Amino acid sequence: MKAIKTSCNFKKLFFIFYFLFLFQFSSGTAGELKRVVVIVTMPVATCEAHLKWLVVQLNDLGYKDGSNMDLSIIRANGNRDFAEKELQKILKNGKPDVVAAIATLASQAAYHVLKGSDVPIFFFQVSDPIGAGLIKKIGVPTGTNITGRVHTVPSGVRVNMALRLVEQITTKRPVRFGYIHSTYPSSVGDIKALKNITNKRDDLIFESYQIQYEKVPDGTPKMFADTKKGIKAISGKVDFWWQPQGPLAEIENYTQLLINHSDIPVVMGNNKAAVKKGALLHITSDLEAGGREAAIFMDAILKGADPGEIPVTPPSKFHIGINLTTALKLNIVVPPDMLDLAGDNVYR
Amino acid sequence: MKLQVKIALSIIPLVLLGIFTLGAWSIENSKKSIHKASFLYMDTIINSYMVDVNKINNLLVKNGLDTIASFVAEYKQKALKEIKTLQIKKDSSIIVFNSSGEFVFCSNKNNNSELESIWGPISKRAGTNPNLESAFHLIEEEPHVLYVVRHFKPWNWIVFFSMSDQDVHHAETQIRNATMGIASVCSLLSILLILTISKKFFVAPISHLVKAASAITHGQSTNKIEVLSKDELGDLARNMETMSNAIQESQAKIKDVNINLEKIVEKRTSELVKTNQKLNQEIEDRKQAEKKIKESEELFRAVFEQAGGYCMILESSDSGIPTILDANEAACKDHGYSRDEIIGRPVADLDDDEGKRLCVERTQRIMTGEPFEIETDHVRKDGSSFPVAVYANMVTFENKPPLIVTTEFDISYKKEAEAEKKTLEKQLQHAQKLQSIGTLAGGIAHDFNNILYPIIGFTEISIQDLPANHPVQENLDDILQGAKRARDLVKQILAFSNQSDLEQKSLPLQPLIEETLKLLRSIIPSNIEIKKELIEEQIYIFANMTELHEVIMNLCTNAYHAMEEKGGVLQISLTKDQPGIEHNLRLGEYCCLGVKDTGSGISADIIDDIFDPYFTTKELGKGSGLGLSVIHGIVKSYKGTITVQSEVEKGTLVNVYIPISSEKNIVDDILVKPAKPTGNEKILFVDDEKPIVKLGVRLLQGLGYTVTGETSSKKALELFNSSPDEFDLVISDMTMPVFLGTDLAEKILNVRKDIPILLCTGFSERVDKKTAQSIGIKGYINKPILIEELAIKVRKLLDEARGE
C-alpha cells in the first residue's frame, strides 16, 4: 500500500476521511421518503459487486427500500440510449433526490439527461471521467450537479509494479505490452493515459489494437471475434499482454481468450477473476469499499451536501492480486513488499 | 591582601576536596549504567530487525514458497538488505553467520576471514546449542566491545550486533565532563557564599568603622555608625559615636558665628548693588533721549529732502525780504546753486523781476498766517527762468521768531500741456467743421442725384433720338457735360466727406493712366509737353476706378494749371517702392505714382495747407478748393499717402503711394465698353417720382424690353398680384410712400418666390448687401442711373433667373 498511498494527495485523503468520519455515525433519515436511482452499465462482476455494496451500505445507514427510500435500479445492459429513456421515464413521475451511476456508460447517460438540472449525480467505477466528458479536472470541486470517484489506480503506479516483475525475466528494452481494447470510453482513456507515460520513458511501449465496442452481453461474441483478430495482428510485436479497463476485459473468458490464442503471458489483469484465470497481477479498487463509499457520499448529498463542492478523486482503497503459479512459471520472484500487499489475494 | 580574601582562602580547599570526591563516585556509577543502557539499545535494534526477518520468512511459509529456492534466496537477500536500512551508530556493525560458522553478511566492510576466524566458532557453538534460544550478551575487554547475539532458527542465522568501546567511552566522557562541570559550578557558588558571609559579619562592620573614623578626621557628622552587633566591633562603634557627637557640638558653635558675619556682609553688598543700578538707569535714559533727538533730526532731513519739489525755510529780515535759512537738494540743484551758496541768500534772488518787485508785499501776506499760493517764474543762477508753483506757510515757535516754509514745484510740463491742449482744441474745431460739411453734403446728395437722374437720362435719350446734325445737339451735349460735372461734384463731395459708397476692386494701374492721359491731351495746350515713364510690370491696386481717375486727373490738372502761362513739361511716372515708416506707412510694397511739373511751384509757407478743404490759390471760379483734399481723402482710404516737394518757379513733384494688391482678378470692362445688352422680357418699373418712371420706361424700352411703369407702390403690388407671371423682373425705388422698396420686394416675393428684383437706392437709402440678400432681392443699383449700368444689371438678373 505504500506506493499507492504516496500517490494520493494528502489533502484529498483528508477530505475523504473527513467525509467518512462525518457520515460514518450518521443514520439515515427516518421519516422523509428519498427517491434514489441507480443506473448499472452492464451485468458484469465488477458492476454487480459495486451495486451490492452500495445497497448494503445504504441499508446500514438507515435507508430501507419501500420504507424511507424509493430505490429504482436501471440495468442498461450496455445500452446508453436505453438507460437515458428509462431515466426520463422516472423523471416524469418526479425528480429523484440522487442518482448513482455505476461505470462510464451509465454515468454518461445520467449526465446527458440531468446536465444543468438540480438533481445530484454520483458516478463511480469510471476509469476516465474527463475523457468520458463528465468533468473537466480531477482533484477539484466540479461546481456542477455531478461528482464521483475515479475507478482505476493511477497509470504510473500500475506500470511501475508491472515492470518490477517482468524486468526480472527480460533484458530487452523497451518491454512491449500488447493492449487490445474496445472503443468504450474507459478503455480509450486508459490507453491514452498509459501512452502518455510511455511518451516520457523509453523502457516500455504499448502496442494497442482497437476494436468496436458492442453491447454486453449481446455483443460479446462479436467483440471476442475482433479480439482474436487483434491477437493475431499484434502478437508478433509484443512480449506481454496488458488487459484494458472497460467492459471487454470484464467479460469472464477474456483472459482465457488471450491465453488460448497466444503463448504470450498476461501480466496485467483487469480484475481478480483475470488473475485467478492466469494473469500475473491485477491492481484494482476495492469493490466493497467503493460501493460503501458511494453510499456514504449519497447519504451526505441526501442530507444537503452540494455535489459541486465535492472533488472527484481516486478511490481510497485498492486490491492487488497475484498469481504465484504464473510467477513461478515465468521465473518471476514476487518481491516481499508486493506479496505482503497482496495479502490473501495470492492465487495458485 | 583584604580580610575577605584571607577568609575565603582558608575555607575553599576543604570545599573543593568534598566536591571532587563526590564527582569521582558519580562517574564510576554512571559507567555501569551506560553499559546497561547500551545493551538495551542494541537489544531494541536487533529485535526490530529480527521481527522484519521473521515477517519475510512468514510470507514464504504462508504462500508455500519456503521450499522455492529462488524465492528463499531472494527473500534472504531482501532481509540482509534491510540491515542497511537500520539506524545504527557509525562504529557499530551487524554480522550474520550461519550455524555452521560460515560468514553470511556484515554491515561494515570488515575483513570477512578475520571475522569468520573470531566469530565462526562462537556461531557454530551457538547454532548447535539447543539451550541458546534467542539471545545473549557478550563483553570483550580488549578491545572493549559490546555484543548482542540472536539466533534465527528458520534460516540458521546467528546475528551479531557489535558496538565498540569508543561509543561507550564517548558516553563516559560526556558524563565525566558533566560531573566536572557541575563540581566547578558548585565550587564557584561555595566561594561566592563564603565571600558573602564574611562580608556581612566581618568586612562590612569594619568598613563602617573605618568610614566613621575617616569622617571624624575630616570633621564630618557621624551620628549613627551602622554596627548593631553586641560584640567587640559593636562596642567600638558606640564609643566612636559618643566621640563624634562631642566634636559636632563644638563645630556647631563656630558655625553660628560664621553665619552672623556672612549676614552683615550680604546686607552691605545689597545696598551697594542698588546704588549702582540706579546710576546705570540714569545713563541709559540719557542715551535714549539723545538717540530720539538724532532720529527726529534724521526724519526731518529725510522728509525735507524727499518731500518732492523745492523745500526752503526762510527767516524774516529787517529789509522785509526773507533770507534762505535752509533749502533741500532739489531746490539748490534746479536753481543752479550749491547749498552753501543758497543759504543766507535773499529769497528775492530766485524771483524774476516781477517777483522781486512784489517780494516784500508777498512776505507780508504770508506772515498774516493765511495759506499762500501763486504761480510765478524763478530765475536760475545762470539767468534762465522757469515757471514754478509756490506754496508758502508761516511757522511759529515758542520764544522764537516765526519762520516761512515754502514748497515749490516746477510747472514747465503743465504749461506745455496747456499749449498742446489749445492746439488740439483748434484741430477739433476744424474737424467738426469738416464733419458738418460732410453731413450737409450727404444730406443734399440724394436730392441732387434724383434731380440729375432725369436730366442725364433724358439728355442721353434726346441725343440718341435727334439726328446728329441737329442744331440742338450742341446744346444737349453742353447740358450732358454740365450734368455729368454736377454728378462728379456730388461724388467728390461724398468722397471728401468719406460717405461715398464706391465699390473697390483690384485694378490695373497702367491702362487707367493711359486712358486719363488720352483725355488730358485733348484739353492740355501744346506748349505743355506730356511725358510718361511707367514701369513695364503690370501694377494692381485695390481701388475704385472713378476715384482713381479723379486722383490722376486732379493732379495732372493742377500741374497743367501751374504751367498754363509759361508752358513746360508734365511728367507722369509709375514705379514700385517700399517707402516704409518714414512716410508713416505700414511695411510692404507700394506703387509710386509721380506727377511732376515745371510750373510756378508752391511757396513753403503754404505748402502745409494745400490739402485743407477749400484751400486754393486759383482765381475765383477756377477751383473749388476741394480737389487736393478730396484726393488726399481717397488716397488715405486706400491706406496710402501723398508727398509734395516743391520749389517756387521751378516746379512741383507730387508722389502718390498706394499699396500694391496681390489680387489680379480684375474686371476692366469699363476700360473697354461693350455694347449695351438688350432683351425682350417684361419689366415692372416702380418709383414714386413720375419723371424717373418715365425715364426708366423709356430707357428700358430703348433696350427692347416691355416695361410697365408705376408711381404708386400699392398699385404696383396689386398689379403684380393680379398677374404675377406677367413679369420677368421688378425694378423698384427704395424710398416711396406706403411701402418702402424693401417692403414691396418682400410682398412680391411672398407671391412669387423666383421673381428677380432690382432695387434703386440713393445715397441716404443705402441698403447693405446682407439685408438685401436676406429679403431675397437679387441686385441693387445706385442713383443716378446710367443707361449702360442699368442695361448690364437688368440683363444679368434676367439671365441668372433663367439659370444661364
Side-chain angles (χ1 to χ4, degrees):
Chain A
M1 285 299 280
K2 197 182 283 179
I4 296 166
K5 276 183 182 172
T6 49
S7 70
C8 293
N9 183 304
F10 177 76
K11 264 187 177 176
K12 292 173 194 168
L13 283 173
F14 174 79
F15 194 81
I16 291 160
F17 286 125
Y18 170 74
F19 268 89
L20 289 171
F21 175 79
L22 195 63
F23 302 113
Q24 184 68 38
F25 305 107
S26 60
S27 60
T29 52
E32 201 180 348
L33 180 70
K34 299 292 182 186
R35 298 192 69 215
V36 176
V37 178
V38 181
I39 310 172
V40 186
T41 294
M42 60 187 71
V44 292
T46 314
C47 290
E48 293 302 325
H50 267 136
L51 175 62
K52 175 191 159 189
W53 291 114
L54 171 72
V55 175
V56 167
Q57 183 63 38
L58 283 172
N59 290 336
D60 290 351
L61 289 167
Y63 295 96
K64 305 294 178 194
D65 189 20
S67 174
N68 62 347
M69 175 175 71
D70 177 12
L71 177 64
S72 304
I73 297 172
I74 300 171
R75 293 188 176 275
N77 288 330
N79 187 335
R80 179 176 155 182
D81 291 342
F82 174 76
E84 289 182 7
K85 282 174 188 166
E86 289 299 306
L87 182 57
Q88 277 162 345
K89 276 183 199 170
I90 291 171
L91 283 172
K92 281 178 187 170
N93 297 325
K95 272 199 299 188
D97 294 301
V98 66
V99 173
I102 303 174
T104 305
L105 195 140
S107 304
Q108 286 178 319
Y111 184 61
H112 184 245
V113 173
L114 300 171
K115 183 182 180 184
S117 72
D118 58 351
V119 178
I121 307 168
F122 188 89
F123 67 81
F124 58 112
Q125 201 185 313
V126 177
S127 300
D128 180 18
I130 297 172
L134 301 175
I135 57 166
K136 298 269 170 57
K137 203 170 180 182
I138 291 172
V140 295
T142 61
T144 65
N145 62 328
I146 190 164
T147 187
R149 281 292 169 270
V150 182
H151 180 54
T152 54
V153 178
S155 307
V157 176
R158 288 185 287 146
V159 164
N160 287 336
M161 292 189 91
L163 277 180
R164 281 183 69 192
L165 298 176
V166 300
E167 275 175 350
Q168 296 177 29
I169 55 171
T170 177
T171 53
K172 198 168 65 178
R173 293 291 181 276
V175 180
R176 302 172 299 170
F177 292 103
Y179 191 98
I180 298 170
H181 66 97
S182 71
T183 53
Y184 192 80
S186 296
S187 310
V188 175
D190 186 37
I191 185 62
K192 189 179 169 189
L194 291 167
K195 285 195 172 179
N196 277 341
I197 291 168
T198 59
N199 288 340
K200 294 169 191 168
R201 48 197 291 182
D202 53 7
D203 56 345
L204 80 161
I205 57 168
F206 281 90
E207 187 69 39
S208 62
Y209 184 88
Q210 183 172 288
I211 63 169
Q212 183 60 42
Y213 165 69
E214 304 290 341
K215 293 169 194 168
V216 176
D218 299 345
T220 303
K222 172 75 169 62
M223 285 204 289
F224 272 25
D226 291 342
T227 303
K228 285 176 193 170
K229 288 179 192 170
I231 293 167
K232 198 174 177 186
I234 64 171
S235 58
K237 302 175 188 173
V238 302
D239 304 314
F240 305 101
W241 292 119
W242 187 295
Q243 292 187 353
Q245 296 292 318
L248 179 61
E250 296 274 354
I251 302 167
E252 193 179 354
N253 293 325
Y254 180 72
T255 308
Q256 205 61 50
L257 184 72
L258 292 173
I259 292 168
N260 292 344
H261 289 84
S262 73
D263 55 357
I264 297 166
V266 180
V267 165
M268 185 57 75
N270 177 275
N271 50 31
K272 188 195 289 184
V275 174
K276 284 180 178 175
K277 291 279 183 182
L280 176 62
L281 170 77
H282 84 91
I283 312 163
T284 49
S285 63
D286 185 315
L287 300 180
E288 180 184 346
R292 286 183 180 277
E293 192 182 34
I296 289 166
F297 275 105
M298 286 166 70
D299 176 45
I301 290 165
L302 287 170
K303 285 174 178 166
D306 181 2
E309 291 177 358
I310 301 170
V312 177
T313 56
S316 57
K317 206 168 176 184
F318 295 96
H319 275 318
I320 292 177
I322 291 169
N323 190 319
L324 275 179
T325 306
T326 306
L328 290 168
K329 192 176 167 187
L330 293 173
N331 284 326
I332 290 171
V333 176
V334 181
D337 55 331
M338 281 177 71
L339 201 60
D340 190 26
L341 283 171
D344 294 334
N345 299 319
V346 178
Y347 309 104
R348 292 263 189 182
Chain B
M1 190 179 290
K2 288 197 171 185
L3 179 61
Q4 196 174 3
V5 178
K6 287 176 182 173
I7 294 166
L9 285 176
S10 61
I11 298 171
I12 284 168
L14 292 173
V15 173
L16 289 179
L17 182 63
I19 288 169
F20 282 104
T21 305
L22 192 64
W25 177 80
S26 298
I27 288 166
E28 186 56 30
N29 267 342
S30 65
K31 200 172 176 180
K32 289 175 186 172
S33 299
I34 286 165
H35 281 165
K36 201 174 174 182
S38 297
F39 279 125
L40 188 62
Y41 157 74
M42 292 167 78
D43 281 341
T44 306
I45 294 287
I46 203 160
N47 286 344
S48 164
Y49 176 63
M50 294 314 292
V51 167
D52 289 344
V53 172
N54 198 41
K55 191 178 172 185
I56 291 168
N57 184 56
N58 284 344
L59 276 174
L60 291 171
V61 173
K62 180 187 168 190
N63 291 297
L65 296 169
D66 52 340
T67 55
I68 310 296
S70 59
F71 269 79
V72 172
E74 182 65 29
Y75 279 45
K76 281 184 175 176
Q77 281 303 314
K78 170 69 180 172
L80 292 172
K81 282 178 189 170
E82 286 289 319
I83 291 173
K84 289 186 177 175
T85 64
L86 297 173
Q87 298 289 320
I88 59 174
K89 286 186 168 291
K90 194 180 172 185
D91 294 328
S92 304
S93 57
I94 293 176
I95 311 150
V96 181
F97 285 85
N98 62 21
S99 55
S100 306
E102 291 166 346
F103 173 80
V104 178
F105 180 81
C106 179
S107 63
N108 285 346
K109 289 178 183 174
N110 290 324
N111 188 331
N112 295 349
S113 58
E114 189 182 340
L115 286 170
E116 197 168 347
S117 65
I118 298 168
W119 295 105
I122 297 171
S123 303
K124 200 172 180 178
R125 195 174 64 244
T128 53
N129 185 355
N131 298 323
L132 192 63
E133 279 298 319
S134 56
F136 58 92
H137 297 162
L138 290 172
I139 298 175
E140 193 177 343
E141 290 302 331
E142 196 57 45
H144 198 135
V145 182
L146 306 181
Y147 293 94
V148 174
V149 187
R150 290 289 184 278
H151 182 199
F152 186 64
K153 284 184 177 176
W155 292 351
N156 283 321
W157 276 8
I158 310 296
V159 183
F160 293 86
F161 181 12
S162 70
M163 193 163 72
S164 76
D165 182 53
Q166 197 173 348
D167 290 332
V168 178
H169 182 69
H170 179 68
E172 287 174 2
T173 307
Q174 282 182 329
I175 290 171
R176 188 182 65 233
N177 290 343
T179 308
M180 292 293 286
I182 292 164
S184 301
V185 171
C186 289
S187 302
L188 193 64
L189 291 172
S190 301
I191 291 165
L192 287 173
L193 188 64
I194 291 163
L195 288 172
T196 306
I197 291 167
S198 63
K199 187 176 181 181
K200 182 167 177 63
F201 292 110
F202 301 105
V203 179
I206 292 168
S207 178
H208 287 309
L209 288 170
V210 169
K211 278 183 188 172
S214 176
I216 292 165
T217 307
H218 292 91
Q220 293 169 357
S221 170
T222 56
N223 290 334
K224 188 74 180 169
I225 299 169
E226 293 176 5
V227 181
L228 303 174
S229 58
K230 292 179 179 177
D231 54 11
E232 290 81 357
L233 287 172
D235 292 341
L236 180 60
R238 282 182 285 278
N239 286 332
M240 283 182 75
E241 280 175 9
T242 308
M243 184 177 74
S244 174
N245 290 336
I247 293 168
Q248 288 296 319
E249 284 174 14
S250 305
Q251 284 180 340
K253 285 176 183 173
I254 295 166
K255 196 174 179 181
D256 289 341
V257 173
N258 282 340
I259 287 167
N260 286 334
L261 189 61
E262 279 172 6
K263 280 180 181 173
I264 293 165
V265 170
E266 191 177 344
K267 189 181 173 188
R268 296 271 168 85
T269 305
S270 174
E271 287 169 0
L272 193 61
V273 167
K274 280 178 185 172
T275 308
N276 195 30
Q277 281 175 348
K278 199 174 175 184
L279 280 171
N280 284 339
Q281 186 60 44
E282 283 177 11
I283 291 165
E284 186 58 30
D285 290 346
R286 285 185 186 181
K287 278 182 183 175
Q288 287 296 326
E290 284 171 6
K291 191 181 172 186
K292 281 181 182 173
I293 290 165
K294 193 178 175 185
E295 283 173 357
S296 175
E297 170 66 19
E298 283 172 358
L299 183 65
F300 163 73
R301 179 53 57 189
V303 171
F304 189 64
E305 291 294 342
Q306 304 299 329
Y310 314 135
C311 292
M312 287 188 280
I313 300 169
L314 312 177
E315 68 179 343
S316 307
S317 71
D318 295 339
S319 65
I321 297 171
T323 54
I324 298 169
L325 192 63
D326 199 356
N328 69 1
E329 186 63 29
C332 299
K333 189 180 171 188
D334 287 4
H335 286 86
Y337 294 100
S338 69
R339 192 178 178 84
D340 291 338
E341 284 173 339
I342 206 164
I343 290 173
R345 189 174 286 276
V347 73
D349 285 3
L350 307 181
D351 290 331
D352 62 355
D353 291 342
E354 189 186 4
K356 284 186 174 75
R357 186 169 56 79
L358 298 173
C359 185
V360 174
E361 184 192 332
R362 288 173 177 170
T363 305
Q364 285 170 351
R365 275 176 57 198
I366 294 165
M367 295 308 281
T368 62
E370 288 178 13
F372 179 81
E373 295 178 15
I374 57 160
E375 286 186 5
T376 183
D377 284 347
H378 265 195
V379 180
R380 297 189 184 91
K381 185 181 175 183
D382 61 6
S384 60
S385 63
F386 60 102
V388 290
V390 179
Y391 303 90
N393 277 316
M394 181 181 72
V395 182
T396 56
F397 301 94
E398 276 185 33
N399 304 322
K400 280 178 77 175
L403 296 174
I404 297 169
V405 177
T406 70
T407 309
E408 296 159 10
F409 297 98
D410 185 344
I411 56 171
S412 301
Y413 70 92
K414 186 181 169 189
K415 296 290 181 190
E416 286 166 9
E418 283 172 355
E420 193 177 345
K421 186 182 171 191
K422 278 179 186 171
T423 308
L424 287 173
E425 281 172 352
K426 200 174 172 183
Q427 286 173 348
L428 179 64
Q429 284 168 3
H430 187 62
Q432 284 171 341
K433 182 178 155 189
L434 291 178
Q435 192 182 12
S436 59
I437 292 167
T439 308
L440 178 65
I444 63 173
H446 173 68
D447 295 335
F448 255 70
N449 281 335
N450 279 346
I451 292 164
L452 288 170
Y453 179 38
I455 294 171
I456 291 169
F458 282 116
T459 307
E460 283 181 335
I461 292 167
S462 301
I463 288 168
Q464 284 175 6
D465 290 350
L466 288 171
N469 56 356
H470 195 281
V472 183
Q473 278 285 11
E474 197 175 337
N475 296 340
L476 290 172
D477 284 341
D478 287 344
I479 292 167
L480 187 61
Q481 287 300 323
K484 283 186 175 175
R485 277 184 65 194
R487 183 197 66 183
D488 293 345
L489 189 61
V490 170
K491 280 187 181 174
Q492 283 184 13
I493 291 166
L494 290 174
F496 162 72
S497 61
N498 203 24
Q499 295 181 55
S500 65
D501 191 28
L502 298 174
E503 192 180 5
Q504 293 183 2
K505 302 175 184 174
S506 187
L507 298 171
L509 201 49
Q510 286 94 327
L512 195 70
I513 295 169
E514 296 280 9
E515 182 74 14
T516 311
L517 287 178
K518 215 182 278 179
L519 286 172
L520 281 168
R521 278 202 182 89
S522 63
I523 59 171
I524 290 175
S526 58
N527 65 336
I528 296 173
E529 184 188 355
I530 299 174
K531 286 184 178 177
K532 62 172 182 179
E533 199 174 325
L534 307 180
I535 187 172
E536 281 186 13
E537 182 193 342
Q538 190 70 276
I539 302 290
Y540 291 86
I541 60 169
F542 200 72
N544 177 270
M545 183 176 286
T546 307
E547 287 180 338
L548 204 57
H549 192 268
E550 184 71 29
V551 170
I552 301 167
M553 275 295 284
N554 193 290
L555 291 175
C556 291
T557 307
N558 283 344
Y560 150 56
H561 285 156
M563 296 183 291
E564 198 170 13
E565 287 181 7
K566 295 178 182 175
V569 178
L570 170 62
Q571 190 171 1
I572 296 177
S573 62
L574 181 67
T575 54
K576 281 170 75 174
D577 199 359
Q578 292 186 331
I581 54 171
E582 75 266 24
H583 293 304
N584 204 19
L585 293 173
R586 290 184 180 181
L587 291 177
E589 204 163 35
Y590 288 71
C591 72
C592 177
L593 173 69
V595 178
K596 188 178 179 185
D597 66 65
T598 55
S600 54
I602 307 166
S603 64
D605 57 333
I606 61 167
I607 200 162
D608 290 338
D609 300 329
I610 60 170
F611 293 113
D612 287 352
Y614 304 107
F615 178 84
T616 181
T617 56
K618 293 174 185 171
E619 297 169 24
L620 191 63
K622 270 200 168 178
S624 64
L626 288 172
L628 277 174
S629 64
V630 167
I631 66 163
H632 188 255
I634 291 168
V635 172
K636 280 283 179 192
S637 73
Y638 296 166
K639 296 184 171 46
T641 193
I642 302 176
T643 64
V644 182
Q645 295 169 30
S646 186
E647 208 172 329
V648 176
E649 299 303 329
K650 284 193 174 175
T652 302
L653 169 63
V654 180
N655 282 330
V656 177
Y657 293 94
I658 299 171
I660 291 174
S661 167
S662 58
E663 292 179 28
K664 294 178 181 173
N665 50 340
I666 339 95
V667 181
D668 49 3
D669 52 348
I670 293 171
L671 298 175
V672 182
K673 289 181 181 173
K676 290 189 281 292
T678 58
N680 55 7
E681 287 89 346
K682 293 169 187 171
I683 298 172
L684 174 61
F685 192 98
V686 190
D687 198 303
D688 60 324
E689 290 192 32
K690 203 172 179 181
I692 292 176
V693 173
K694 190 180 167 189
L695 175 63
V697 171
R698 286 283 301 275
L699 284 173
L700 291 165
Q701 283 175 341
L703 294 169
Y705 297 102
T706 304
V707 187
T708 306
E710 186 56 68
T711 52
S712 164
S713 56
K714 192 179 175 187
K715 282 184 180 173
L717 181 62
E718 288 168 1
L719 181 65
F720 184 83
N721 285 345
S722 64
S723 49
D725 294 330
E726 280 296 303
F727 300 102
D728 299 307
L729 176 74
V730 176
I731 300 173
S732 171
D733 186 28
M734 176 61 195
T735 310
M736 294 183 293
V738 186
F739 297 134
L740 286 174
T742 46
D743 296 338
L744 178 64
E746 218 167 349
K747 291 177 189 301
I748 286 173
L749 286 166
N750 281 341
V751 177
R752 195 179 138 194
K753 204 175 172 183
D754 61 338
I755 184 83
I757 298 171
L758 181 63
L759 195 67
C760 301
T761 64
F763 159 73
S764 60
E765 308 154 341
R766 279 176 292 170
V767 179
D768 65 73
K769 275 185 182 176
K770 275 188 182 173
T771 310
Q773 281 170 359
S774 69
I775 295 167
I777 294 167
K778 302 293 183 200
Y780 60 94
I781 190 166
N782 292 327
K783 289 179 180 177
I785 301 166
L786 293 178
I787 189 165
E788 289 89 349
E789 196 180 358
L790 181 65
I792 290 165
K793 290 265 183 182
V794 166
R795 186 69 260 157
K796 190 183 170 202
L797 288 187
L798 286 167
D799 290 344
E800 282 175 0
R802 285 166 57 190
E804 291 179 3

